[in-house]
Amino acid sequence: MRPFSAKSAALVSVLVSLAGDANAIPPPPQEPPRLRTAQLRMKVQLVQAKAGTVASVLPVCEVSGTVPVYAGESVSAHHGSVPGCQLTWMGKKLDVSVGGALAVAADSTVLASAHVSVTPPDAKPGCPDLCGPQPLADSRGDVKVNGPAKNITFPLVPNPVSLLRAQPNVWFEATVTFVDAK
């Protein structure tokens, strides 16, 4: 049997290093320039269903806080967090992640993005090897407004994957309002 040449060894080394990075998650895009801050207010409810019918609607929290306003056309990767929302679930207090951001494009179009999510500490991965723990409930929303806007209000939409996998069947309903005082 003939030994590997230096060229073959280098090629194998490169191929192995490339294969090792194939499952890597790319980093989020670079944060756009910040222009100012805005106020975010969110009212969150947890809806629980049994046998395809809504069984209960529980108020979770009403929070408000400051979130970033960016220059550009994308905000969903750089939400500012708003602390203070907790959910009592099966006797445990769980921190609920609430956040959002605004972006103002060069043509004065305003983009708003917000999310609410809770993941129990004992949550199982949504899929083997690639996914992180599956949230108990999570909802998000993105809105685009043509022209300047001081107030933007919209509902968040439940994540259908979380909705289908949650046991029991629960989801967040939330209404978010951004106030951009400029």
Side-chain angles (χ1 to χ4, degrees):
M1 187 160 140
R2 202 171 70 159
F4 281 122
S5 68
K7 194 180 210 182
S8 295
L11 179 61
V12 169
S13 174
V14 168
L15 290 175
V16 168
S17 70
L18 289 175
D21 292 340
N23 291 329
I25 297 171
Q30 191 172 13
E31 184 176 13
R34 284 188 185 215
L35 298 174
R36 58 187 172 276
T37 59
Q39 287 294 310
L40 175 143
R41 290 192 307 262
M42 191 179 297
K43 181 178 180 177
V44 181
Q45 302 179 113
L46 184 74
V47 180
Q48 184 169 353
K50 290 182 182 170
T53 305
V54 171
S56 65
V57 179
L58 304 168
V60 176
C61 65
E62 287 189 48
V63 293
S64 64
T66 303
V67 295
V69 178
Y70 295 109
E73 298 184 17
S74 177
V75 293
S76 60
H78 299 286
H79 285 183
S81 91
V82 177
C85 189
Q86 286 192 325
L87 168 68
T88 302
W89 184 255
M90 299 196 176
K92 297 178 184 173
K93 285 209 179 260
L94 304 175
D95 288 326
V96 177
S97 172
V98 173
L102 292 175
V104 180
D107 64 357
S108 296
T109 299
V110 178
L111 299 114
S113 180
H115 78 273
V116 59
S117 178
V118 65
T119 304
D122 59 349
K124 305 267 186 276
C127 55
D129 300 328
L130 293 177
C131 304
Q134 182 69 37
L136 172 67
D138 65 326
S139 297
R140 67 179 311 109
D142 297 299
V143 171
K144 182 177 182 179
V145 178
N146 291 326
K150 291 187 185 267
N151 293 317
I152 301 172
T153 300
F154 58 96
L156 301 185
V157 179
N159 177 344
V161 173
S162 293
L163 188 66
L164 293 172
R165 291 187 178 190
Q167 292 297 325
N169 198 249
V170 294
W171 64 91
F172 280 132
E173 285 187 351
T175 302
V176 60
T177 300
F178 286 95
V179 179
D180 186 9
K182 293 186 205 181

